[in-house]
Amino acid sequence: MKKINFINKIILLILLFMLNGCGQQSEIDRMLYVHVMGVDIVDDKYEVYVQIINLESKGGQSDNSSGGGGEQAIVGKARGETVLDAIFNLYEAAQRKIFWGHLSSVIISERFLKEKGIEGIREVIEMIDRNRATRYTIWVLGTTSKLQDLLTTFPTLNLSPIFTKLGDPIENYRQSSLVMPIRLNHFIYNLTEPGGTAIIPLIRSVENYWHSEKSTEGTLIVDGYIFIDKDGFKGLLKDENMAGLKWFQPQAERVYLCLCREDQPPIFLVFDDIKVKTKPQVKNDRATFTINVSVKGAVEELNQNVSKQFINEEAAKQIKEEIKRTYKKGLEMEADVYQLSEILYRKDPKAWKRLGFDKKFLLTEDSIQSIKVDAHIMESEKVKLEKMKIFNEK
């Protein structure tokens, strides 16, 4: 019996030495964490940028006494024949293992989209998709700016780079729903579905918005859209040319509208309840669409005495004008800005194919048969719908 117990102890001891435990795993504080990846092409060479965040940097701290310190982030850059080739060239210059599990967003340059088209996009998606550490929930953006300028623009007040529009765009979008952030899974869906057009936000780095005691702080602004379909890059829209798109965003929470006329003081409105219904119809081998928009909101600033009916009518009129303008600008670059082709495909796929929407761009100015907008301004108990009187103003 004693002999058997002794043998069992020897076997257990041998097994313990054979166990690897977590020996193959990297220590979390000894890896480099990619927060943002950028892709560009220069002289037929792929350029890949990565923003590596410093997890020891305490965002929001005014000193480094209560934790790690140093730079908030650092940017790496490498070139190669493909996206993956550039990344492996970057690995050679890295001092530690680069971890992709915290990748928050990918930025693709306009130049890359124009030169590489749909095949270049597929290559970027392929790299992200085949990496086991990445997720489909990362944000996708486009830019006309230099990638290095974007990735070296950090938030004010020493906040962590995680809290920028590259890492957390939703918080800002909830306050001002102008350009809707797009996740990778939605981007892939819109790009691969029949009749789909992928739309990604356009981001750039600017100055002269924020100032500190020592210098002018740079900041990131999202103020446009890039359009891509199965044929590749279609173009981009900015400023008033993209204004119509904000009325087609299902997740919008605060859409801003200025009733600005040259001969009248401005009225500022914010809409938080937006519903859009687009109905396709096919008649005589021709597809047309009717668009119904319903918006509810409140007056944020009133500089003239007008009726609620006047505001509702003026708001509806301006929203309709914005929708038309954006649609016409989309036609100029053959971009289906309102996803009308996909809507027709969902309603009547046989008609969609019979009419030839799967082969060429068929939308015209007459494709939208009618646009109906119903705007409704709500009064609050706090401030009535009238111009505020100051002191003894009459």
PDB file of all heavy atoms in Angstrom, residues 50-79:
ATOM      1  N   VAL A  50      -0.708  53.210 -36.758  1.00  0.00           N
ATOM      2  CA  VAL A  50      -1.382  52.715 -35.553  1.00  0.00           C
ATOM      3  C   VAL A  50      -1.166  53.707 -34.417  1.00  0.00           C
ATOM      4  O   VAL A  50      -0.063  54.227 -34.240  1.00  0.00           O
ATOM      5  CB  VAL A  50      -0.887  51.316 -35.121  1.00  0.00           C
ATOM      6  CG1 VAL A  50      -1.293  50.258 -36.126  1.00  0.00           C
ATOM      7  CG2 VAL A  50       0.614  51.309 -34.894  1.00  0.00           C
ATOM      8  N   GLN A  51      -2.218  53.997 -33.719  1.00  0.00           N
ATOM      9  CA  GLN A  51      -2.124  54.822 -32.514  1.00  0.00           C
ATOM     10  C   GLN A  51      -2.089  53.885 -31.319  1.00  0.00           C
ATOM     11  O   GLN A  51      -3.052  53.169 -31.046  1.00  0.00           O
ATOM     12  CB  GLN A  51      -3.318  55.769 -32.405  1.00  0.00           C
ATOM     13  CG  GLN A  51      -3.210  56.749 -31.226  1.00  0.00           C
ATOM     14  CD  GLN A  51      -4.493  57.525 -31.001  1.00  0.00           C
ATOM     15  OE1 GLN A  51      -5.494  56.957 -30.557  1.00  0.00           O
ATOM     16  NE2 GLN A  51      -4.471  58.818 -31.303  1.00  0.00           N
ATOM     17  N   ILE A  52      -0.960  53.874 -30.628  1.00  0.00           N
ATOM     18  CA  ILE A  52      -0.780  53.019 -29.452  1.00  0.00           C
ATOM     19  C   ILE A  52      -1.066  53.855 -28.214  1.00  0.00           C
ATOM     20  O   ILE A  52      -0.449  54.897 -27.996  1.00  0.00           O
ATOM     21  CB  ILE A  52       0.659  52.467 -29.373  1.00  0.00           C
ATOM     22  CG1 ILE A  52       1.020  51.735 -30.677  1.00  0.00           C
ATOM     23  CG2 ILE A  52       0.810  51.557 -28.168  1.00  0.00           C
ATOM     24  CD1 ILE A  52       0.284  50.454 -30.907  1.00  0.00           C
ATOM     25  N   ILE A  53      -2.034  53.419 -27.404  1.00  0.00           N
ATOM     26  CA  ILE A  53      -2.379  54.188 -26.213  1.00  0.00           C
ATOM     27  C   ILE A  53      -1.552  53.736 -25.016  1.00  0.00           C
ATOM     28  O   ILE A  53      -1.165  52.576 -24.900  1.00  0.00           O
ATOM     29  CB  ILE A  53      -3.884  54.071 -25.880  1.00  0.00           C
ATOM     30  CG1 ILE A  53      -4.299  52.613 -25.707  1.00  0.00           C
ATOM     31  CG2 ILE A  53      -4.723  54.736 -26.947  1.00  0.00           C
ATOM     32  CD1 ILE A  53      -5.742  52.455 -25.234  1.00  0.00           C
ATOM     33  N   ASN A  54      -1.278  54.681 -24.143  1.00  0.00           N
ATOM     34  CA  ASN A  54      -0.540  54.423 -22.917  1.00  0.00           C
ATOM     35  C   ASN A  54      -1.535  54.185 -21.793  1.00  0.00           C
ATOM     36  O   ASN A  54      -2.161  55.114 -21.283  1.00  0.00           O
ATOM     37  CB  ASN A  54       0.360  55.621 -22.591  1.00  0.00           C
ATOM     38  CG  ASN A  54       1.157  55.419 -21.324  1.00  0.00           C
ATOM     39  OD1 ASN A  54       1.152  54.334 -20.732  1.00  0.00           O
ATOM     40  ND2 ASN A  54       1.847  56.464 -20.884  1.00  0.00           N
ATOM     41  N   LEU A  55      -1.710  52.935 -21.403  1.00  0.00           N
ATOM     42  CA  LEU A  55      -2.683  52.596 -20.364  1.00  0.00           C
ATOM     43  C   LEU A  55      -2.264  53.099 -18.988  1.00  0.00           C
ATOM     44  O   LEU A  55      -3.089  53.198 -18.080  1.00  0.00           O
ATOM     45  CB  LEU A  55      -2.900  51.080 -20.314  1.00  0.00           C
ATOM     46  CG  LEU A  55      -3.526  50.460 -21.564  1.00  0.00           C
ATOM     47  CD1 LEU A  55      -3.734  48.974 -21.375  1.00  0.00           C
ATOM     48  CD2 LEU A  55      -4.843  51.129 -21.903  1.00  0.00           C
ATOM     49  N   GLU A  56      -0.990  53.426 -18.826  1.00  0.00           N
ATOM     50  CA  GLU A  56      -0.528  53.935 -17.538  1.00  0.00           C
ATOM     51  C   GLU A  56      -0.772  55.428 -17.394  1.00  0.00           C
ATOM     52  O   GLU A  56      -0.689  55.976 -16.303  1.00  0.00           O
ATOM     53  CB  GLU A  56       0.968  53.647 -17.363  1.00  0.00           C
ATOM     54  CG  GLU A  56       1.289  52.157 -17.253  1.00  0.00           C
ATOM     55  CD  GLU A  56       2.760  51.937 -16.987  1.00  0.00           C
ATOM     56  OE1 GLU A  56       3.513  52.938 -17.002  1.00  0.00           O
ATOM     57  OE2 GLU A  56       3.156  50.789 -16.757  1.00  0.00           O
ATOM     58  N   SER A  57      -1.073  56.085 -18.524  1.00  0.00           N
ATOM     59  CA  SER A  57      -1.345  57.514 -18.464  1.00  0.00           C
ATOM     60  C   SER A  57      -2.732  57.748 -17.909  1.00  0.00           C
ATOM     61  O   SER A  57      -3.716  57.245 -18.424  1.00  0.00           O
ATOM     62  CB  SER A  57      -1.243  58.137 -19.861  1.00  0.00           C
ATOM     63  OG  SER A  57      -1.595  59.497 -19.831  1.00  0.00           O
ATOM     64  N   LYS A  58      -2.822  58.510 -16.834  1.00  0.00           N
ATOM     65  CA  LYS A  58      -4.093  58.770 -16.187  1.00  0.00           C
ATOM     66  C   LYS A  58      -4.764  59.974 -16.837  1.00  0.00           C
ATOM     67  O   LYS A  58      -4.451  61.117 -16.522  1.00  0.00           O
ATOM     68  CB  LYS A  58      -3.900  59.039 -14.687  1.00  0.00           C
ATOM     69  CG  LYS A  58      -3.261  57.868 -13.948  1.00  0.00           C
ATOM     70  CD  LYS A  58      -4.212  56.687 -13.882  1.00  0.00           C
ATOM     71  CE  LYS A  58      -3.612  55.553 -13.059  1.00  0.00           C
ATOM     72  NZ  LYS A  58      -4.511  54.412 -12.946  1.00  0.00           N
ATOM     73  N   GLY A  59      -5.644  59.709 -17.791  1.00  0.00           N
ATOM     74  CA  GLY A  59      -6.352  60.791 -18.455  1.00  0.00           C
ATOM     75  C   GLY A  59      -7.114  61.633 -17.461  1.00  0.00           C
ATOM     76  O   GLY A  59      -7.839  61.120 -16.616  1.00  0.00           O
ATOM     77  N   GLY A  60      -6.954  62.957 -17.552  1.00  0.00           N
ATOM     78  CA  GLY A  60      -7.664  63.860 -16.643  1.00  0.00           C
ATOM     79  C   GLY A  60      -6.831  64.274 -15.460  1.00  0.00           C
ATOM     80  O   GLY A  60      -7.180  65.194 -14.739  1.00  0.00           O
ATOM     81  N   GLN A  61      -5.678  63.591 -15.219  1.00  0.00           N
ATOM     82  CA  GLN A  61      -4.821  63.956 -14.109  1.00  0.00           C
ATOM     83  C   GLN A  61      -3.936  65.127 -14.504  1.00  0.00           C
ATOM     84  O   GLN A  61      -3.452  65.227 -15.625  1.00  0.00           O
ATOM     85  CB  GLN A  61      -3.936  62.763 -13.722  1.00  0.00           C
ATOM     86  CG  GLN A  61      -4.738  61.560 -13.228  1.00  0.00           C
ATOM     87  CD  GLN A  61      -5.228  61.749 -11.819  1.00  0.00           C
ATOM     88  OE1 GLN A  61      -4.773  62.635 -11.108  1.00  0.00           O
ATOM     89  NE2 GLN A  61      -6.172  60.932 -11.390  1.00  0.00           N
ATOM     90  N   SER A  62      -3.714  66.021 -13.619  1.00  0.00           N
ATOM     91  CA  SER A  62      -2.855  67.169 -13.907  1.00  0.00           C
ATOM     92  C   SER A  62      -1.392  66.874 -13.635  1.00  0.00           C
ATOM     93  O   SER A  62      -0.522  67.617 -13.987  1.00  0.00           O
ATOM     94  CB  SER A  62      -3.301  68.380 -13.064  1.00  0.00           C
ATOM     95  OG  SER A  62      -3.230  68.057 -11.684  1.00  0.00           O
ATOM     96  N   ASP A  63      -1.110  65.749 -12.977  1.00  0.00           N
ATOM     97  CA  ASP A  63       0.273  65.354 -12.755  1.00  0.00           C
ATOM     98  C   ASP A  63       0.335  63.847 -12.789  1.00  0.00           C
ATOM     99  O   ASP A  63      -0.642  63.151 -12.940  1.00  0.00           O
ATOM    100  CB  ASP A  63       0.800  65.896 -11.414  1.00  0.00           C
ATOM    101  CG  ASP A  63      -0.084  65.472 -10.250  1.00  0.00           C
ATOM    102  OD1 ASP A  63      -0.220  64.250 -10.038  1.00  0.00           O
ATOM    103  OD2 ASP A  63      -0.636  66.357  -9.553  1.00  0.00           O
ATOM    104  N   ASN A  64       1.517  63.326 -12.622  1.00  0.00           N
ATOM    105  CA  ASN A  64       1.727  61.882 -12.725  1.00  0.00           C
ATOM    106  C   ASN A  64       2.020  61.251 -11.369  1.00  0.00           C
ATOM    107  O   ASN A  64       2.550  60.162 -11.278  1.00  0.00           O
ATOM    108  CB  ASN A  64       2.888  61.587 -13.689  1.00  0.00           C
ATOM    109  CG  ASN A  64       2.599  62.112 -15.077  1.00  0.00           C
ATOM    110  OD1 ASN A  64       1.463  62.069 -15.529  1.00  0.00           O
ATOM    111  ND2 ASN A  64       3.633  62.620 -15.752  1.00  0.00           N
ATOM    112  N   SER A  65       1.667  61.918 -10.312  1.00  0.00           N
ATOM    113  CA  SER A  65       2.043  61.433  -9.000  1.00  0.00           C
ATOM    114  C   SER A  65       1.200  60.276  -8.524  1.00  0.00           C
ATOM    115  O   SER A  65       1.615  59.507  -7.684  1.00  0.00           O
ATOM    116  CB  SER A  65       1.941  62.582  -7.978  1.00  0.00           C
ATOM    117  OG  SER A  65       0.612  63.077  -7.941  1.00  0.00           O
ATOM    118  N   SER A  66      -0.001  60.106  -9.040  1.00  0.00           N
ATOM    119  CA  SER A  66      -0.899  59.072  -8.521  1.00  0.00           C
ATOM    120  C   SER A  66      -1.073  57.936  -9.509  1.00  0.00           C
ATOM    121  O   SER A  66      -2.066  57.269  -9.546  1.00  0.00           O
ATOM    122  CB  SER A  66      -2.270  59.680  -8.205  1.00  0.00           C
ATOM    123  OG  SER A  66      -2.826  60.259  -9.368  1.00  0.00           O
ATOM    124  N   GLY A  67      -0.137  57.705 -10.350  1.00  0.00           N
ATOM    125  CA  GLY A  67      -0.246  56.612 -11.302  1.00  0.00           C
ATOM    126  C   GLY A  67       0.825  56.756 -12.354  1.00  0.00           C
ATOM    127  O   GLY A  67       1.750  57.531 -12.234  1.00  0.00           O
ATOM    128  N   GLY A  68       0.665  55.962 -13.430  1.00  0.00           N
ATOM    129  CA  GLY A  68       1.629  56.030 -14.493  1.00  0.00           C
ATOM    130  C   GLY A  68       1.640  57.384 -15.152  1.00  0.00           C
ATOM    131  O   GLY A  68       0.755  58.194 -14.995  1.00  0.00           O
ATOM    132  N   GLY A  69       2.661  57.638 -15.912  1.00  0.00           N
ATOM    133  CA  GLY A  69       2.761  58.919 -16.586  1.00  0.00           C
ATOM    134  C   GLY A  69       3.236  58.746 -17.999  1.00  0.00           C
ATOM    135  O   GLY A  69       3.040  57.724 -18.612  1.00  0.00           O
ATOM    136  N   GLY A  70       3.887  59.757 -18.525  1.00  0.00           N
ATOM    137  CA  GLY A  70       4.390  59.690 -19.873  1.00  0.00           C
ATOM    138  C   GLY A  70       3.368  60.167 -20.879  1.00  0.00           C
ATOM    139  O   GLY A  70       2.353  60.753 -20.549  1.00  0.00           O
ATOM    140  N   GLU A  71       3.671  59.912 -22.143  1.00  0.00           N
ATOM    141  CA  GLU A  71       2.802  60.344 -23.218  1.00  0.00           C
ATOM    142  C   GLU A  71       1.484  59.586 -23.196  1.00  0.00           C
ATOM    143  O   GLU A  71       1.421  58.420 -22.814  1.00  0.00           O
ATOM    144  CB  GLU A  71       3.510  60.131 -24.555  1.00  0.00           C
ATOM    145  CG  GLU A  71       4.765  60.979 -24.716  1.00  0.00           C
ATOM    146  CD  GLU A  71       5.491  60.652 -26.007  1.00  0.00           C
ATOM    147  OE1 GLU A  71       5.943  59.514 -26.137  1.00  0.00           O
ATOM    148  OE2 GLU A  71       5.590  61.543 -26.862  1.00  0.00           O
ATOM    149  N   GLN A  72       0.424  60.267 -23.672  1.00  0.00           N
ATOM    150  CA  GLN A  72      -0.881  59.619 -23.720  1.00  0.00           C
ATOM    151  C   GLN A  72      -0.924  58.542 -24.787  1.00  0.00           C
ATOM    152  O   GLN A  72      -1.581  57.513 -24.611  1.00  0.00           O
ATOM    153  CB  GLN A  72      -1.967  60.661 -24.004  1.00  0.00           C
ATOM    154  CG  GLN A  72      -2.168  61.667 -22.891  1.00  0.00           C
ATOM    155  CD  GLN A  72      -3.230  62.693 -23.270  1.00  0.00           C
ATOM    156  OE1 GLN A  72      -3.268  63.169 -24.389  1.00  0.00           O
ATOM    157  NE2 GLN A  72      -4.068  63.022 -22.328  1.00  0.00           N
ATOM    158  N   ALA A  73      -0.264  58.790 -25.896  1.00  0.00           N
ATOM    159  CA  ALA A  73      -0.263  57.828 -26.995  1.00  0.00           C
ATOM    160  C   ALA A  73       0.929  58.113 -27.896  1.00  0.00           C
ATOM    161  O   ALA A  73       1.537  59.180 -27.839  1.00  0.00           O
ATOM    162  CB  ALA A  73      -1.566  57.924 -27.788  1.00  0.00           C
ATOM    163  N   ILE A  74       1.235  57.157 -28.723  1.00  0.00           N
ATOM    164  CA  ILE A  74       2.290  57.309 -29.711  1.00  0.00           C
ATOM    165  C   ILE A  74       1.816  56.694 -31.014  1.00  0.00           C
ATOM    166  O   ILE A  74       1.004  55.763 -31.020  1.00  0.00           O
ATOM    167  CB  ILE A  74       3.606  56.649 -29.223  1.00  0.00           C
ATOM    168  CG1 ILE A  74       4.772  57.096 -30.099  1.00  0.00           C
ATOM    169  CG2 ILE A  74       3.475  55.130 -29.192  1.00  0.00           C
ATOM    170  CD1 ILE A  74       6.127  56.723 -29.529  1.00  0.00           C
ATOM    171  N   VAL A  75       2.298  57.220 -32.137  1.00  0.00           N
ATOM    172  CA  VAL A  75       1.843  56.762 -33.443  1.00  0.00           C
ATOM    173  C   VAL A  75       2.966  56.033 -34.164  1.00  0.00           C
ATOM    174  O   VAL A  75       4.089  56.540 -34.263  1.00  0.00           O
ATOM    175  CB  VAL A  75       1.351  57.943 -34.300  1.00  0.00           C
ATOM    176  CG1 VAL A  75       0.968  57.469 -35.706  1.00  0.00           C
ATOM    177  CG2 VAL A  75       0.162  58.616 -33.628  1.00  0.00           C
ATOM    178  N   GLY A  76       2.645  54.843 -34.653  1.00  0.00           N
ATOM    179  CA  GLY A  76       3.597  54.071 -35.441  1.00  0.00           C
ATOM    180  C   GLY A  76       3.186  54.058 -36.897  1.00  0.00           C
ATOM    181  O   GLY A  76       2.003  54.159 -37.224  1.00  0.00           O
ATOM    182  N   LYS A  77       4.172  53.933 -37.788  1.00  0.00           N
ATOM    183  CA  LYS A  77       3.904  53.958 -39.225  1.00  0.00           C
ATOM    184  C   LYS A  77       4.854  52.994 -39.931  1.00  0.00           C
ATOM    185  O   LYS A  77       6.036  52.904 -39.595  1.00  0.00           O
ATOM    186  CB  LYS A  77       4.099  55.376 -39.764  1.00  0.00           C
ATOM    187  CG  LYS A  77       4.100  55.485 -41.283  1.00  0.00           C
ATOM    188  CD  LYS A  77       4.521  56.883 -41.719  1.00  0.00           C
ATOM    189  CE  LYS A  77       4.746  56.971 -43.224  1.00  0.00           C
ATOM    190  NZ  LYS A  77       5.227  58.294 -43.653  1.00  0.00           N
ATOM    191  N   ALA A  78       4.294  52.259 -40.907  1.00  0.00           N
ATOM    192  CA  ALA A  78       5.118  51.355 -41.703  1.00  0.00           C
ATOM    193  C   ALA A  78       4.533  51.252 -43.107  1.00  0.00           C
ATOM    194  O   ALA A  78       3.345  51.496 -43.314  1.00  0.00           O
ATOM    195  CB  ALA A  78       5.195  49.983 -41.048  1.00  0.00           C
ATOM    196  N   ARG A  79       5.402  50.870 -44.061  1.00  0.00           N
ATOM    197  CA  ARG A  79       4.981  50.738 -45.452  1.00  0.00           C
ATOM    198  C   ARG A  79       5.153  49.293 -45.903  1.00  0.00           C
ATOM    199  O   ARG A  79       5.948  48.539 -45.351  1.00  0.00           O
ATOM    200  CB  ARG A  79       5.785  51.665 -46.356  1.00  0.00           C
ATOM    201  CG  ARG A  79       5.782  53.114 -45.929  1.00  0.00           C
ATOM    202  CD  ARG A  79       6.527  53.978 -46.923  1.00  0.00           C
ATOM    203  NE  ARG A  79       5.731  54.197 -48.131  1.00  0.00           N
ATOM    204  CZ  ARG A  79       6.226  54.724 -49.273  1.00  0.00           C
ATOM    205  NH1 ARG A  79       7.515  55.039 -49.336  1.00  0.00           N
ATOM    206  NH2 ARG A  79       5.447  54.922 -50.302  1.00  0.00           N
TER     207      ARG A  79
END
